Amino acid sequence: VRDSYSFFGKLKEEFKELELNPTSTRTAINFSMTAFHLTDWLYWETKTENEIKEIKGDYKVFRNKIDKELKDFVSQIKSSCPEIQIVHDITNGSKHAVLVRHTRQVDSTEKKGGGFSLGFSKGFNIPCLLVKADNKEMYFDEIANKVMMFWEGYFKDRIKG
């Protein structure tokens, strides 16, 4: 992985895996981590090589500025695709035993076994990954679809621009 385009390629591969196995928590976590951290790759691509070299030379001097810029950039992305918040929460919730710096919006996640096969509609009791946030239950595969549609549109617009 050398740039945001190749990182996006990694995300597309993880999405295909998720489509093949929509109840895999491992695949859902990997997808979430890549989908969220794509924001980091894109942010750093706004900097020139000289800026990055200067920042790396004395990060303590630039830390507050970089933290604010990155937070603002991620907020812009989340306002365009609210599901990025959900994959952010899943990312941090799976990486850290205790969250102290991140306020999550996801209340819980659950792998639900169902009495019907995945071939049935969601109106039936099918196996799935459920995400609970804001007093709503959401299917992770639907969240992932929205995230992928967002990133596909983002990169399509970026190539045009």
Side-chain angles (χ1 to χ4, degrees):
V1 175
R2 296 175 313 280
D3 56 26
S4 63
Y5 290 101
S6 54
F7 204 66
F8 178 54
K10 178 183 181 310
L11 181 66
K12 288 193 263 187
E13 290 172 13
E14 289 169 357
F15 184 69
K16 285 179 187 172
E17 274 188 52
L18 189 61
E19 287 181 312
L20 293 173
N21 193 357
T23 60
S24 167
T25 55
R26 178 192 59 81
T27 305
I29 290 168
N30 289 340
F31 173 85
S32 295
M33 287 181 175
T34 303
F36 175 68
H37 284 101
L38 196 45
T39 59
D40 186 69
W41 280 89
L42 290 163
Y43 167 76
W44 283 103
E45 287 178 357
T46 67
K47 304 291 182 200
T48 66
E49 284 185 40
N50 286 336
E51 287 174 314
I52 292 171
K53 188 176 180 180
E54 185 180 7
I55 291 164
K56 287 171 82 175
D58 194 358
Y59 182 66
K60 288 179 185 176
V61 170
F62 296 97
R63 181 178 180 176
N64 289 338
K65 179 180 185 273
I66 296 300
D67 286 352
K68 183 185 179 335
E69 286 178 359
L70 181 56
K71 186 176 182 176
D72 290 347
F73 181 78
V74 170
S75 291
Q76 289 173 0
I77 296 291
K78 288 177 181 177
S79 70
S80 298
C81 180
E83 291 77 14
I84 297 290
Q85 179 66 52
I86 294 169
V87 295
H88 184 188
D89 289 353
I90 291 169
T91 296
N92 280 335
S94 61
K95 283 188 339 184
H96 303 284
V98 177
L99 291 175
V100 291
R101 291 186 348 184
H102 177 77
T103 304
R104 67 179 185 211
Q105 293 179 6
V106 169
D107 299 317
S108 67
T109 57
E110 173 187 351
K111 182 175 182 174
K112 184 178 158 201
F116 291 88
S117 72
L118 290 172
F120 284 83
S121 74
K122 291 193 170 120
F124 289 89
N125 183 20
I126 61 166
C128 63
L129 298 177
L130 280 178
V131 176
K132 296 177 185 178
D134 300 325
N135 296 319
K136 293 187 291 187
E137 284 189 349
M138 299 168 271
Y139 294 98
F140 184 79
D141 63 330
E142 292 175 0
I143 293 164
N145 275 317
K146 289 177 182 177
V147 168
M148 277 308 295
M149 288 187 339
F150 169 76
W151 283 128
E152 285 170 350
Y154 186 96
F155 278 89
K156 188 175 185 181
D157 290 347
R158 198 168 186 229
I159 291 169
K160 286 180 188 175

